Amino acid sequence: MTLEEYKEIVGLCAMYITMLQMLAGTVICKNIYQKSTSKGVDPIPFLGGIGLCILMLRYAWMLGDPAMINVNVFGVVTNAAYMTVYYYYAPNIKDVLNLIWKATIFVTVFLVYAQIEHPSNVEFRFGIVVTALLLLLIAAPLIHLREIIKTKNTEILPFPLILMGTLVSFNWLLYGLIIDNVFIIFQNAVGFTLNVTQLSLFVIFPSKKPQDGLLSEQKKED
């Protein structure tokens, strides 16, 4: 049997695993709720998730791919819910609104471009856009790499999202190979590599809470 015969099965697996990844954000929102503040939590995975899912949804419509359409509709809804929680508990609402405004303009520009571009070019060129944005979003946590190395603490990284992202990128890579779509193959091959790299940081620098460090220092003093 050829891989083509497994297209529907792999597509469904990729879709459901991606939905599970998107639900991983509930863990982060739970922590925000328990602390009653979103301070120290990076909003980019949520806000970027909304924008990227909207653009990926537009790309999925171009391809006419039901699996991609369903997963990105789900992504818009879930990430919007997470961003609402973040906004509600944000210590500085003005900064959050500023980020939302910038993201809205950014996404609108590309949606307008997709509408006015010539039909023979739009699928390829828009594919380049969503691929670049996806890789930037996946790599975003690496912005904190210097701080992680300095403090030897990965608490700032969204472990649930990165772990699920590794599984998701692998499944979509396989799906991309089956449908022979160069953009899906490339973005998920690079995405898988980036996610594995970030996961390795949790092995090298295990996450620890500040109070854990204080307790260890007190034990040394005793």
Side-chain angles (χ1 to χ4, degrees):
M1 297 179 75
T2 62
L3 282 176
E4 179 68 27
E5 297 178 38
Y6 294 98
K7 176 183 175 181
E8 290 188 11
I9 296 175
V10 174
L12 285 174
C13 287
M15 182 180 73
Y16 288 126
I17 291 175
T18 304
M19 288 178 174
L20 284 175
Q21 179 207 24
M22 292 170 177
L23 289 175
T26 57
V27 176
I28 298 172
C29 288
K30 179 183 177 183
N31 291 335
I32 292 175
Y33 172 76
Q34 290 175 338
K35 293 187 298 184
S36 296
T37 179
S38 55
K39 184 179 180 180
V41 178
D42 190 353
I44 296 302
F46 297 153
L47 189 57
I50 297 171
L52 183 62
C53 283
I54 291 173
L55 294 177
M56 286 293 291
L57 180 59
R58 182 69 179 87
Y59 184 60
W61 274 330
M62 293 180 193
L63 300 178
D65 192 298
M68 291 179 66
I69 290 173
N70 292 335
V71 78
N72 284 292
V73 168
F74 186 79
V76 172
V77 174
T78 53
N79 279 289
Y82 301 150
M83 196 62 206
T84 300
V85 174
Y86 183 92
Y87 176 83
Y88 183 80
Y89 289 103
N92 194 333
I93 293 177
K94 185 177 179 181
D95 289 344
V96 179
L97 287 174
N98 189 37
L99 276 174
I100 293 173
W101 174 244
K102 289 178 180 178
T104 301
I105 294 176
F106 186 80
V107 171
T108 301
V109 167
F110 285 109
L111 288 177
V112 171
Y113 163 74
Q115 195 65 31
I116 63 176
E117 177 60 274
H118 193 279
S120 62
N121 297 325
V122 67
E123 183 178 319
F124 177 79
R125 293 177 179 176
F126 199 74
I128 293 176
V129 170
V130 294
T131 297
L133 293 177
L134 175 62
L135 296 181
L136 284 173
L137 182 62
I138 294 173
L142 292 176
I143 294 174
H144 307 292
L145 185 58
R146 179 179 294 181
E147 181 182 348
I148 292 168
I149 295 174
K150 182 179 179 180
T151 62
K152 297 182 179 180
N153 186 356
T154 54
E155 189 178 17
I156 195 171
L157 294 179
F159 178 76
L161 295 181
I162 295 171
L163 177 62
M164 292 302 297
T166 306
L167 298 175
V168 166
S169 56
F170 177 78
N171 274 268
W172 282 112
L173 172 59
L174 185 58
Y175 186 70
L177 289 169
I178 292 174
I179 67 173
D180 194 25
N181 184 292
V182 65
F183 291 116
I184 296 177
I185 294 171
F186 177 75
Q187 65 190 215
N188 287 288
V190 177
F192 180 73
T193 302
L194 288 172
N195 278 308
V196 170
T197 300
Q198 292 176 73
L199 278 181
S200 68
L201 293 174
F202 288 93
V203 178
I204 300 170
F205 305 116
S207 179
K208 59 182 179 180
K209 296 181 180 179
Q211 56 265 35
D212 294 337
L214 290 174
L215 286 173
S216 61
E217 288 181 7
Q218 289 175 357
K219 287 181 180 179
K220 288 180 180 178
E221 291 176 0
D222 293 341

